[in-house]
Amino acid sequence: MSRPPDEIGAIVDALVQAHIGGTIERRFQAIELPRLGEAGIVDPADIRVSVRCSFVEGRVALEGKLSGFVTMTCQRCMEPVKVGLADEFDLMLVEDEPARIAEEKLDRGYEPIVADPERFDMRWLAEEQILLDVPLVAKHEDVGCASIASRADSPTEPAAHRPFANLKNLLSGN
């Protein structure tokens, strides 16, 4: 029996890849990354993550790139907006929180994260890096969106409702 498609290749052995100096590349859609939906990111999306694995002083290090795009809701016009992804990151895998704190103090240029290098979850990595890369408030860059939103935000003067406007005419008999 085969694994479901969303499980194929998400868990990788970064330790083996570090021994051979290998690179791991994965491609994801927003639907495959559940935490993105909680952040307002929907399909369509095309997310590519690439990490080169190596050792730095006995620990697995990942030099990575995130690229592609996600779809969010523009906060001016409330329509979908395509948000580009372009990020580079350097991570070091550590076994527990005390090791993470100690590694952070050494300041080697790698962000220490607690993860099992033999069962490293590329989906988790993609989610983390996307959430760090996308804007908190998504907006279209073009002026057209801003003018549509400004017209929608500035209400037109409502017609004055005057229930007794014709009362004078009624009382005078006209």
Side-chain angles (χ1 to χ4, degrees):
M1 180 173 196
S2 64
R3 295 183 287 180
D6 64 338
E7 293 293 324
I8 295 174
I11 306 297
V12 298
D13 192 335
L15 184 63
V16 167
Q17 293 299 316
H19 279 291
I20 63 172
T23 299
I24 303 167
E25 296 181 356
R26 295 293 183 268
R27 192 174 201 157
F28 298 102
Q29 300 298 312
I31 194 127
E32 298 173 90
L33 308 170
R35 289 177 40 215
L36 299 187
E38 297 167 12
I41 298 170
V42 296
D43 271 329
D46 183 25
I47 302 142
R48 291 176 301 282
V49 180
S50 173
V51 292
R52 189 174 70 74
C53 304
S54 63
F55 283 104
V56 173
E57 298 199 18
R59 296 192 189 276
V60 174
L62 308 175
E63 295 175 27
K65 292 181 182 180
L66 171 74
S67 61
F69 74 90
V70 294
T71 304
M72 299 177 78
T73 301
C74 173
Q75 296 304 301
R76 286 190 288 226
C77 68
M78 302 310 287
E79 294 294 324
V81 61
K82 189 175 178 179
V83 176
L85 302 171
D87 190 27
E88 293 185 9
F89 51 91
D90 296 313
L91 306 173
M92 182 169 292
L93 307 185
V94 297
E95 58 276 355
D96 55 25
E97 190 62 18
R100 187 195 67 76
I101 292 168
E103 192 62 46
E104 202 168 65
K105 290 178 183 176
L106 294 174
D107 194 23
R108 297 180 206 208
Y110 290 88
E111 180 182 346
I113 59 170
V114 178
D116 180 358
E118 294 180 50
R119 294 202 37 82
F120 187 71
D121 189 344
M122 292 292 288
R123 264 192 313 237
W124 174 85
L125 175 64
E127 286 175 329
E128 286 293 310
Q129 294 307 131
I130 292 166
L131 293 172
L132 289 170
D133 195 44
V134 296
L136 290 174
V137 178
K139 297 179 199 171
H140 286 104
E141 291 182 15
D142 63 0
V143 178
C145 170
S147 65
I148 291 168
S150 65
R151 284 194 306 259
D153 290 342
S154 61
T156 57
E157 280 295 315
H161 182 61
R162 298 183 181 169
F164 302 108
N166 292 332
L167 185 58
K168 180 180 177 184
N169 294 342
L170 290 173
L171 291 176
S172 66
N174 289 336

